[in-house]
Amino acid sequence: MKYALVTGASSGIGKSICVKLASDLGYHVLVNYLHNQEEAHDTVKQVEAKGGTAEIMQFDVTSFSDTEKKLNAWAEKNKQAVIEVLVNNAGLVKDGLFMFMDAASWSEVIDVKLKGFYNVTRCVIQKMILNKHGRIINIASLAGLSGNAGQVNYAAANGGLIAATKALAKEIGKKNVTVNAVAPGFINTEMTDKLDYEKFVKIIPANRFGTAEEVADMVSFLASPKASYITGAVININGGIY
């Protein structure tokens, strides 16, 4: 059995990625979540509805000890298993003008995206390298490339993730482990529900928001053998906003 781990997988893009990895590539998906157990179970149900298999795995990506404990416990029960695909999807938005931003809003957004990347990747990368096969796919954002007023914290977190993607790709490329980032623009998810659609759609050449499934399609491709010569890349899914 092949295994993939998706963080922040109880909703939105993460949920769609789980379904795609299972249905397109036959991965048994580890569905990470922190708070919303009901939605995490729904992700498993959606995977199973497409003929795939999945299980939930609760841990806090911002805590190395919690992440390590849960992943080690799973590995102990599945001694022959190797997580071949890791999708660092967990993210958080706490928007506001920088001059009014409190320290918690800064730290929490950075911690989920960047500490989360370190904590989870650090716990699974060794087996990927020893196995000489792996796919690490980081879900970043348009904000990390172009910046976005009112999202200095979110832009900083995703800009850092993009830089880390490129650096890590250079470190482990010889081990047949690829590291890539996907940078979505405006996608129809819970994160964008409160946005003024008519206002923002005017700046998108494609004249619409994207879908979580479109992002998941790219992740599925990057996880597949077809993408074995792609590493250190940042792939934009933004309807033409540059």
Side-chain angles (χ1 to χ4, degrees):
M1 186 175 287
K2 304 187 299 180
Y3 296 89
L5 168 61
V6 183
T7 68
S10 62
S11 63
I13 290 172
K15 187 185 291 281
S16 293
I17 289 170
C18 291
V19 174
K20 283 289 182 180
L21 290 178
S23 60
D24 289 359
L25 303 175
Y27 279 103
H28 177 82
V29 183
L30 308 180
V31 178
N32 164 255
Y33 75 101
L34 180 56
H35 298 301
N36 201 333
Q37 186 180 58
E38 183 178 348
E39 282 299 315
H41 278 296
D42 181 68
T43 299
V44 173
K45 289 178 182 177
Q46 289 196 28
V47 168
E48 292 174 344
K50 293 287 187 178
T53 62
E55 63 185 283
I56 61 172
M57 182 179 285
Q58 182 186 33
F59 60 83
D60 181 357
V61 299
T62 69
S63 167
F64 184 80
S65 60
D66 188 34
T67 301
E68 183 180 47
K69 178 182 177 181
K70 298 296 175 55
L71 287 172
N72 283 348
W74 180 85
E76 187 64 28
K77 292 179 180 178
N78 301 271
K79 293 185 182 295
Q80 303 303 315
V82 176
I83 294 172
E84 294 184 2
V85 176
L86 167 61
V87 183
N88 288 302
N89 171 70
L92 179 69
V93 291
K94 288 204 167 185
D95 296 348
L97 293 176
F98 183 77
M99 65 182 295
F100 301 120
M101 186 175 292
D102 58 43
S105 295
W106 175 266
S107 298
E108 289 171 17
V109 170
I110 297 287
D111 285 354
V112 173
K113 187 59 69 174
L114 287 182
K115 285 181 70 175
F117 159 77
Y118 169 81
N119 292 339
V120 185
T121 306
R122 182 66 179 79
C123 287
V124 304
I125 195 171
Q126 187 174 17
K127 283 191 175 181
M128 285 184 178
I129 290 171
L130 290 173
N131 200 43
K132 294 185 178 179
H133 177 74
R135 299 283 187 269
I136 299 170
I137 303 162
N138 299 319
I139 307 302
S141 169
L142 171 67
L145 291 165
S146 64
N148 198 19
Q151 288 191 316
V152 176
N153 51 357
Y154 191 65
N158 284 283
L161 183 64
I162 287 167
T165 297
K166 294 178 179 181
L168 184 58
K170 291 183 177 181
E171 286 189 12
I172 61 176
K174 291 181 180 179
K175 302 299 183 180
N176 195 35
V177 180
T178 65
V179 190
N180 292 292
V182 175
F186 293 97
I187 306 297
N188 279 318
T189 66
E190 294 88 340
M191 277 191 176
T192 59
D193 279 347
K194 295 179 182 179
L195 295 180
D196 184 339
Y197 180 85
E198 295 303 324
K199 173 185 175 182
F200 286 101
V201 77
K202 292 176 182 178
I203 66 173
I204 304 172
N207 199 40
R208 66 176 177 87
F209 282 16
T211 68
E213 289 75 19
E214 287 172 316
V215 179
D217 279 333
M218 177 53 65
V219 173
S220 176
F221 169 72
L222 290 173
S224 77
K226 295 179 181 180
S228 61
Y229 199 55
I230 301 173
T231 193
V234 182
I235 299 174
N236 296 281
I237 303 179
N238 60 27
I241 304 175
Y242 293 101

